[in-house]
Protein backbone atom coordinates (compact mmCIF):
# COMPACT_ATOMS: atom_id res chain seq x y z
CA UNK A 1 0.00 0.00 0.00
CA UNK A 2 1.39 3.39 -0.96
CA UNK A 3 1.57 5.77 2.02
CA UNK A 4 1.67 9.55 1.61
CA UNK A 5 3.10 11.91 4.23
CA UNK A 6 1.72 15.18 5.55
CA UNK A 7 2.79 17.58 8.33
CA UNK A 8 0.49 19.73 10.45
CA UNK A 9 2.63 22.70 9.38
CA UNK A 10 0.35 22.78 6.30
CA UNK A 11 -2.67 23.49 8.50
CA UNK A 12 -3.09 27.23 8.01
CA UNK A 13 -2.10 26.98 4.36
CA UNK A 14 -4.93 24.48 3.86
CA UNK A 15 -7.54 26.52 5.69
CA UNK A 16 -6.74 29.60 3.60
CA UNK A 17 -6.51 27.61 0.40
CA UNK A 18 -9.82 25.87 1.00
CA UNK A 19 -11.59 29.20 0.56
CA UNK A 20 -10.17 29.42 -2.94
CA UNK A 21 -11.24 25.85 -3.76
CA UNK A 22 -14.86 26.45 -2.80
CA UNK A 23 -15.03 29.55 -5.00
CA UNK A 24 -14.38 27.47 -8.13
CA UNK A 25 -17.33 26.32 -10.20
CA UNK A 26 -15.81 23.50 -12.27
CA UNK A 27 -16.37 19.79 -11.66
CA UNK A 28 -12.82 19.19 -10.41
CA UNK A 29 -13.29 21.72 -7.63
CA UNK A 30 -16.55 20.02 -6.61
CA UNK A 31 -14.83 16.66 -6.52
CA UNK A 32 -12.01 18.01 -4.35
CA UNK A 33 -14.51 19.51 -1.94
CA UNK A 34 -16.45 16.25 -1.60
CA UNK A 35 -13.35 14.15 -0.86
CA UNK A 36 -11.94 13.96 2.67
CA UNK A 37 -8.45 15.33 2.20
CA UNK A 38 -5.37 14.73 4.32
CA UNK A 39 -5.09 18.48 4.85
CA UNK A 40 -8.60 18.65 6.32
CA UNK A 41 -7.79 15.67 8.52
CA UNK A 42 -4.67 17.42 9.82
CA UNK A 43 -6.68 20.54 10.67
CA UNK A 44 -9.27 18.37 12.43
CA UNK A 45 -6.56 16.70 14.56
CA UNK A 46 -4.96 20.03 15.49
CA UNK A 47 -8.26 21.45 16.72
CA UNK A 48 -9.04 18.29 18.70
CA UNK A 49 -5.62 18.29 20.39
CA UNK A 50 -6.18 21.85 21.59
CA UNK A 51 -9.58 21.14 23.12
CA UNK A 52 -8.26 17.95 24.68
CA UNK A 53 -5.50 19.86 26.48
CA UNK A 54 -8.07 22.29 27.87
CA UNK A 55 -10.26 19.43 29.10
CA UNK A 56 -7.23 17.97 30.87
CA UNK A 57 -6.68 21.25 32.73
CA UNK A 58 -10.33 21.40 33.83
CA UNK A 59 -10.36 17.74 34.91
CA UNK A 60 -7.23 18.21 37.01
CA UNK A 61 -8.86 21.13 38.80
CA UNK A 62 -12.33 19.70 39.41
CA UNK A 63 -11.42 16.06 40.06
CA UNK A 64 -8.42 16.84 42.27
CA UNK A 65 -8.73 15.81 45.89
CA UNK A 66 -8.19 19.35 47.26
CA UNK A 67 -7.46 22.87 46.07
CA UNK A 68 -3.78 22.36 46.90
CA UNK A 69 -3.44 19.18 44.86
CA UNK A 70 -5.37 20.72 42.00
CA UNK A 71 -2.95 23.59 41.55
CA UNK A 72 0.33 21.68 41.96
CA UNK A 73 0.32 20.46 38.38
CA UNK A 74 0.44 24.04 37.02
CA UNK A 75 2.04 26.57 39.37
CA UNK A 76 1.64 29.51 36.97
CA UNK A 77 -2.16 29.17 37.13
CA UNK A 78 -3.95 31.32 39.74
CA UNK A 79 -7.19 29.92 41.17
CA UNK A 80 -9.83 32.22 42.63
CA UNK A 81 -13.03 30.93 44.29
CA UNK A 82 -16.19 32.95 44.90
CA UNK A 83 -19.24 31.41 46.59
CA UNK A 84 -22.66 32.93 45.96
CA UNK A 85 -25.51 31.08 47.64
CA UNK A 86 -25.24 27.47 46.51
CA UNK A 87 -23.01 28.21 43.51
CA UNK A 88 -19.23 28.17 43.45
CA UNK A 89 -17.38 30.13 40.74
CA UNK A 90 -13.82 28.99 40.16
CA UNK A 91 -11.66 31.24 37.96
CA UNK A 92 -8.50 29.78 36.44
CA UNK A 93 -6.30 32.73 35.51
CA UNK A 94 -3.31 32.04 33.26
CA UNK A 95 -2.27 35.68 33.04
CA UNK A 96 -0.33 36.75 29.95
CA UNK A 97 1.22 33.33 29.52
CA UNK A 98 1.32 30.05 31.46
CA UNK A 99 3.12 27.08 29.92
CA UNK A 100 1.70 23.57 30.09
CA UNK A 101 4.10 20.66 30.60
CA UNK A 102 3.76 19.83 26.89
CA UNK A 103 5.06 23.28 25.88
CA UNK A 104 1.76 24.93 24.90
CA UNK A 105 1.12 28.38 26.39
CA UNK A 106 -2.25 29.41 27.82
CA UNK A 107 -3.36 32.97 28.52
CA UNK A 108 -6.59 34.53 29.73
CA UNK A 109 -9.17 32.80 31.92
CA UNK A 110 -11.30 29.68 32.14
CA UNK A 111 -14.28 30.19 34.44
CA UNK A 112 -16.02 27.19 36.06
CA UNK A 113 -19.44 27.14 37.74
CA UNK A 114 -20.71 24.31 39.95
CA UNK A 115 -22.55 23.57 43.18
CA UNK A 116 -20.84 24.40 46.46
CA UNK A 117 -21.17 20.84 47.70
CA UNK A 118 -18.63 18.73 45.78
CA UNK A 119 -19.08 15.66 48.01
CA UNK A 120 -21.64 14.17 45.66
CA UNK A 121 -21.49 11.25 43.27
CA UNK A 122 -22.43 13.40 40.28
CA UNK A 123 -21.48 17.06 39.80
CA UNK A 124 -22.50 19.34 36.91
CA UNK A 125 -19.85 21.90 35.95
CA UNK A 126 -20.25 24.64 33.35
CA UNK A 127 -17.28 26.45 31.85
CA UNK A 128 -16.67 29.50 29.69
CA UNK A 129 -13.56 31.19 28.27
CA UNK A 130 -12.66 34.84 28.85
CA UNK A 131 -10.11 36.49 26.54
CA UNK A 132 -8.53 33.05 26.30
CA UNK A 133 -5.74 31.88 23.99
CA UNK A 134 -4.00 28.58 23.35
CA UNK A 135 -0.64 29.78 22.04
CA UNK A 136 -1.89 32.46 19.60
CA UNK A 137 -5.22 30.73 18.86
CA UNK A 138 -8.34 32.34 20.35
CA UNK A 139 -10.78 30.00 22.14
CA UNK A 140 -14.42 31.06 22.59
CA UNK A 141 -17.58 29.34 23.77
CA UNK A 142 -17.88 26.78 26.53
CA UNK A 143 -19.68 23.69 27.70
CA UNK A 144 -21.40 21.77 30.46
CA UNK A 145 -19.91 18.69 32.05
CA UNK A 146 -21.39 15.98 34.24
CA UNK A 147 -18.61 14.54 36.38
CA UNK A 148 -18.98 11.19 38.15
CA UNK A 149 -16.89 10.46 41.21
CA UNK A 150 -16.77 6.82 40.11
CA UNK A 151 -18.16 5.04 37.06
CA UNK A 152 -18.88 1.30 36.74
CA UNK A 153 -15.11 0.69 36.64
CA UNK A 154 -14.54 2.70 39.82
CA UNK A 155 -12.84 5.55 37.92
CA UNK A 156 -13.72 9.26 37.73
CA UNK A 157 -15.53 10.10 34.50
CA UNK A 158 -16.68 13.28 32.81
CA UNK A 159 -19.16 13.74 29.95
CA UNK A 160 -19.04 17.15 28.29
CA UNK A 161 -21.42 18.81 25.86
CA UNK A 162 -19.40 21.55 24.17
CA UNK A 163 -19.74 24.34 21.62
CA UNK A 164 -16.45 26.15 20.98
CA UNK A 165 -14.71 28.10 18.24
CA UNK A 166 -10.96 28.26 17.61
CA UNK A 167 -9.72 31.28 15.65
CA UNK A 168 -6.22 31.62 14.20
CA UNK A 169 -4.44 35.01 13.86
CA UNK A 170 -5.21 34.91 10.12
CA UNK A 171 -8.95 34.97 10.84
CA UNK A 172 -9.46 31.33 9.84
CA UNK A 173 -11.51 29.36 12.33
CA UNK A 174 -12.90 25.96 13.23
CA UNK A 175 -16.07 25.39 15.29
CA UNK A 176 -16.74 22.19 17.24
CA UNK A 177 -20.08 21.02 18.68
CA UNK A 178 -20.66 17.65 20.31
CA UNK A 179 -20.13 15.33 23.26
CA UNK A 180 -17.08 13.63 24.75
CA UNK A 181 -16.75 11.21 27.65
CA UNK A 182 -13.39 10.97 29.39
CA UNK A 183 -12.60 8.17 31.84
CA UNK A 184 -9.63 8.99 34.09
CA UNK A 185 -7.92 5.60 34.47
CA UNK A 186 -4.49 6.50 35.95
CA UNK A 187 -2.98 9.28 38.05
CA UNK A 188 -6.20 10.29 39.81
CA UNK A 189 -5.62 12.79 42.62
CA UNK A 190 -1.82 12.80 42.34
CA UNK A 191 -1.74 16.54 41.61
CA UNK A 192 0.70 15.98 38.76
CA UNK A 193 0.25 16.14 35.00
CA UNK A 194 2.53 13.46 33.58
CA UNK A 195 0.98 10.39 35.23
CA UNK A 196 -2.58 11.12 34.05
CA UNK A 197 -4.13 8.71 31.54
CA UNK A 198 -7.60 9.08 29.97
CA UNK A 199 -9.80 6.95 27.73
CA UNK A 200 -11.97 9.14 25.48
CA UNK A 201 -15.17 8.33 23.57
CA UNK A 202 -17.78 10.52 21.89
CA UNK A 203 -18.96 12.19 18.71
CA UNK A 204 -18.99 15.73 17.36
CA UNK A 205 -19.04 17.92 14.27
CA UNK A 206 -16.24 20.21 13.11
CA UNK A 207 -17.11 23.12 10.82
CA UNK A 208 -14.44 24.97 8.84
CA UNK A 209 -14.63 28.63 7.82
CA UNK A 210 -15.60 27.67 4.25
CA UNK A 211 -18.62 25.74 5.52
CA UNK A 212 -17.10 22.27 5.22
CA UNK A 213 -18.49 20.00 7.95
CA UNK A 214 -16.83 16.90 9.36
CA UNK A 215 -18.75 14.42 11.52
CA UNK A 216 -16.53 12.47 13.91
CA UNK A 217 -17.31 9.33 15.89
CA UNK A 218 -14.80 7.55 18.11
CA UNK A 219 -15.16 3.87 17.23
CA UNK A 220 -12.22 2.68 19.35
CA UNK A 221 -11.56 4.61 22.57
CA UNK A 222 -8.72 7.12 22.32
CA UNK A 223 -5.97 6.69 24.91
CA UNK A 224 -4.41 9.96 26.02
CA UNK A 225 -1.31 9.64 28.23
CA UNK A 226 -0.24 13.03 29.48
CA UNK A 227 3.39 11.91 29.62
CA UNK A 228 3.10 11.88 25.80
CA UNK A 229 2.17 14.90 23.68
CA UNK A 230 -0.03 12.79 21.42
CA UNK A 231 -2.92 10.36 21.51
CA UNK A 232 -1.24 6.93 21.55
CA UNK A 233 -4.08 4.69 20.33
CA UNK A 234 -7.70 4.62 19.22
CA UNK A 235 -9.68 5.13 16.03
CA UNK A 236 -11.96 7.96 14.86
CA UNK A 237 -14.38 7.54 11.95
CA UNK A 238 -14.79 10.71 9.87
CA UNK A 239 -17.62 11.60 7.51
CA UNK A 240 -17.87 14.49 5.03
CA UNK A 241 -21.11 14.47 3.06
CA UNK A 242 -21.26 10.87 1.78
CA UNK A 243 -17.49 10.28 2.07
CA UNK A 244 -15.92 8.28 4.91
CA UNK A 245 -12.49 7.71 6.34
CA UNK A 246 -10.78 6.52 9.53
CA UNK A 247 -7.99 8.01 11.60
CA UNK A 248 -5.90 5.45 13.52
CA UNK A 249 -3.59 6.74 16.26
CA UNK A 250 -1.56 3.54 16.63
CA UNK A 251 -0.86 0.67 19.00
CA UNK A 252 -0.02 2.57 22.20
CA UNK A 253 3.46 3.77 21.24
CA UNK A 254 4.18 7.42 22.05
CA UNK A 255 4.84 8.90 18.61
CA UNK A 256 3.61 11.75 16.44
CA UNK A 257 2.09 9.56 13.73
CA UNK A 258 -1.52 8.77 12.84
CA UNK A 259 -2.76 6.95 9.74
CA UNK A 260 -5.72 8.30 7.77
CA UNK A 261 -7.40 5.73 5.50
CA UNK A 262 -9.91 6.99 2.95
CA UNK A 263 -12.86 4.99 1.64
CA UNK A 264 -10.79 3.65 -1.27
CA UNK A 265 -8.22 2.20 1.14
CA UNK A 266 -5.47 4.72 0.42
CA UNK A 267 -3.41 5.49 3.55
CA UNK A 268 -1.89 8.84 4.43
CA UNK A 269 0.58 9.24 7.28
CA UNK A 270 -0.33 12.31 9.34
CA UNK A 271 2.48 13.92 11.32
CA UNK A 272 0.93 15.35 14.48
Amino acid sequence: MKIKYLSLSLLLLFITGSLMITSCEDNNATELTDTISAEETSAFVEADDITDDLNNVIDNVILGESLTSRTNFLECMTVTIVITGTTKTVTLDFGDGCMLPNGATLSGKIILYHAVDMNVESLTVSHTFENFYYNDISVEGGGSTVKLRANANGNPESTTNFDITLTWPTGDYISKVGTKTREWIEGVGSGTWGDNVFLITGNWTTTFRDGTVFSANIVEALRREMACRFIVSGVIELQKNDRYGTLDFGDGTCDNIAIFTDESGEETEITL
Side-chain angles (χ1 to χ4, degrees):
M1 181 70 65
K2 182 179 179 182
I3 298 179
K4 299 185 292 184
Y5 300 87
L6 183 78
S7 170
L8 279 176
S9 62
L10 296 176
L11 170 63
L12 293 181
L13 177 62
F14 156 71
I15 297 175
T16 303
S18 65
L19 301 180
M20 299 174 62
I21 291 174
T22 55
S23 67
C24 298
E25 299 295 336
D26 57 54
N27 292 334
N28 289 336
T30 301
E31 183 178 352
L32 284 172
T33 302
D34 287 342
T35 302
I36 298 178
S37 70
E39 290 87 351
E40 289 171 318
T41 306
S42 294
F44 167 88
V45 172
E46 174 76 1
D48 204 48
D49 279 347
I50 292 171
T51 56
D52 225 25
D53 271 353
L54 301 182
N55 286 335
N56 290 334
V57 171
I58 293 172
D59 277 345
N60 268 275
V61 171
I62 295 299
L63 294 180
E65 293 179 344
S66 66
L67 182 59
T68 300
S69 67
R70 291 175 194 162
T71 57
N72 282 346
F73 81 100
L74 203 59
E75 293 182 357
C76 54
M77 177 181 70
T78 300
V79 179
T80 303
I81 297 176
V82 175
I83 297 177
T84 305
T86 60
T87 301
K88 180 182 291 187
T89 302
V90 182
T91 300
L92 314 181
D93 192 341
F94 303 91
D96 294 329
C98 179
M99 185 175 291
L100 295 178
N102 63 11
T105 298
L106 309 182
S107 60
K109 299 176 181 179
I110 302 176
I111 304 174
L112 313 176
Y113 307 91
H114 60 79
V116 172
D117 183 10
M118 294 187 65
N119 295 316
V120 292
E121 293 303 312
S122 176
L123 179 71
T124 300
V125 181
S126 298
H127 69 272
T128 60
F129 299 96
E130 181 179 305
N131 194 30
F132 188 84
Y133 288 82
Y134 182 100
N135 293 329
D136 59 355
I137 300 169
S138 170
V139 182
E140 298 176 293
S144 179
T145 302
V146 176
K147 297 185 178 291
L148 301 181
R149 183 182 296 274
N151 63 10
N153 298 323
N155 298 320
E157 181 178 283
S158 60
T159 298
T160 301
N161 293 309
F162 55 86
D163 185 349
I164 65 171
T165 298
L166 309 176
T167 305
W168 278 257
T170 59
D172 298 302
Y173 62 83
I174 289 177
S175 297
K176 296 181 59 179
V177 179
T179 302
K180 275 190 176 181
T181 297
R182 295 159 51 84
E183 181 182 8
W184 194 347
I185 63 173
E186 294 181 23
V188 179
S190 69
T192 61
W193 178 275
D195 63 356
N196 293 341
V197 179
F198 298 89
L199 291 181
I200 305 168
T201 56
N203 56 84
W204 63 97
T205 59
T206 299
T207 304
F208 295 87
R209 179 180 175 179
D210 68 348
T212 299
V213 179
F214 269 30
S215 296
N217 182 43
I218 299 174
V219 294
E220 181 180 316
L222 306 180
R223 183 179 175 94
R224 187 68 185 264
E225 300 177 355
M226 299 316 297
C228 179
R229 289 185 59 192
F230 313 102
I231 293 172
V232 299
S233 65
V235 178
I236 301 176
E237 182 180 75
L238 302 177
Q239 180 180 358
K240 175 186 175 184
N241 298 326
D242 60 348
R243 302 300 181 96
Y244 290 85
T246 59
L247 189 61
D248 190 333
F249 289 90
D251 59 2
T253 302
C254 179
D255 59 32
N256 65 337
I257 300 299
I259 300 296
F260 173 69
T261 304
D262 66 20
E263 58 189 14
S264 67
E266 183 176 15
E267 295 182 348
T268 301
E269 185 174 284
I270 306 294
T271 302
L272 307 176

